[in-house]
Amino acid sequence: LRGSVVVLPTGATEQHGPHLATGHDTFVVTHIARKASERAAAACDVVLAPALPFGSSAHHLAFGGTLSLSTDTYYQVVRDLVESILEDGAQRVLLLNGHGGNHELNELVARDVSIEQPSSSGVVLAAASYWDIARPAVLSDGRFSDLLLPGHAGQFETATMLALDASRVRNRDTREHDPYVASPVPGMRVEAANRWESFDGYTDFPHRATAEQGAELLEIVIGEVAK
């Protein structure tokens, strides 16, 4: 285990609109982690841990079908898992995230645990969401330059699931306008009560998604994560 990169995927079980499965984030990050690990194994030893299927998802509880860990509990669970991996003998751990609500908490775990390691330990911890790793490559592709990445149960997530398992995608309503509104101030996070309920719990245009798009997007994402 020492010298290997241990990849711990973090997902969620939460509502994904009326058309996607509640396990979507876990299904997709597991697939990406496995395929990227297989490619990266040509250059380094990789150990793939089981994905954590529960995340910080309280903002989706209003819709049902959601199993959420509180902020404090999620942080401690991921921290316990990372510390277990280090105790097992690993020195390098990547938290590969597949759910937006986990992002900052994974970063905090990587920071906090690394600070407590002896300087001689050689421990290096990293945390990233797969869409952030792949964003420059996806948006620089002319086919996807206007895509909301990742969105929530929108075109991107619907397309990737169509490519992986179309049986997990139901019929989708047609939208003319995206009701999701990002922060009016770049770099500032803005939250409001009942925000997700105000636009039915999903963003942008899932009706535009195709399996072909999903396969192309997954190829880009897996390649960038492997790098």
Side-chain angles (χ1 to χ4, degrees):
L1 193 60
R2 188 174 295 275
S4 299
V5 176
V6 179
V7 179
L8 175 61
T10 57
T13 301
E14 62 182 20
Q15 73 86 21
H16 267 74
H19 54 281
L20 292 182
T22 58
H24 180 277
D25 290 348
T26 303
F27 299 147
V28 174
V29 77
T30 296
H31 176 81
I32 291 169
R34 180 171 296 280
K35 293 300 182 181
S37 294
E38 289 172 355
R39 295 191 190 184
C44 63
D45 292 329
V46 182
V47 176
L48 179 60
L52 178 65
F54 308 114
S56 176
S57 302
H59 46 299
H60 293 299
L61 283 169
F63 294 93
T66 297
L67 300 174
S68 180
L69 301 177
S70 69
T71 297
D72 292 343
T73 300
Y74 177 84
Y75 170 91
Q76 195 59 57
V77 166
V78 176
R79 182 179 177 122
D80 286 351
L81 294 174
V82 170
E83 290 178 339
S84 296
I85 293 169
L86 298 181
E87 185 67 24
D88 288 336
Q91 293 175 299
R92 294 186 289 172
V93 182
L94 168 62
L95 295 171
L96 183 65
N97 181 44
H99 164 57
N102 302 340
H103 179 86
E104 296 89 351
L105 298 176
N106 284 4
E107 291 183 331
L108 286 174
V109 169
R111 184 198 67 179
D112 293 352
V113 174
S114 66
I115 288 172
E116 296 177 2
Q117 304 307 306
S119 57
S120 60
S121 67
V123 166
V124 179
L125 306 179
S129 296
Y130 70 77
W131 54 83
D132 284 337
I133 295 173
R135 188 183 307 278
V138 171
L139 297 184
S140 66
D141 187 312
R143 298 170 296 178
F144 307 118
S145 57
D146 295 329
L147 189 68
L148 179 62
L149 182 67
H152 183 72
Q155 184 175 354
F156 173 80
E157 290 196 326
T158 303
T160 53
M161 187 51 69
L162 284 169
L164 290 178
D165 186 352
S167 71
R168 290 180 173 145
V169 183
R170 293 179 176 175
N171 293 333
R172 293 149 278 159
D173 292 334
T174 298
R175 275 179 171 173
E176 297 300 327
H177 304 285
D178 183 5
Y180 174 78
V181 178
S183 170
V185 181
M188 178 183 291
R189 180 167 181 163
V190 177
E191 298 287 351
N194 301 319
R195 183 179 185 221
W196 285 96
E197 295 93 314
S198 70
F199 48 83
D200 299 327
Y202 67 98
T203 66
D204 65 280
F205 309 106
H207 68 278
R208 296 179 181 175
T210 66
E212 291 73 20
Q213 291 173 349
E216 293 162 350
L217 286 163
L218 285 169
E219 178 61 26
I220 295 171
V221 170
I222 290 165
E224 293 303 302
V225 173
K227 291 176 187 178

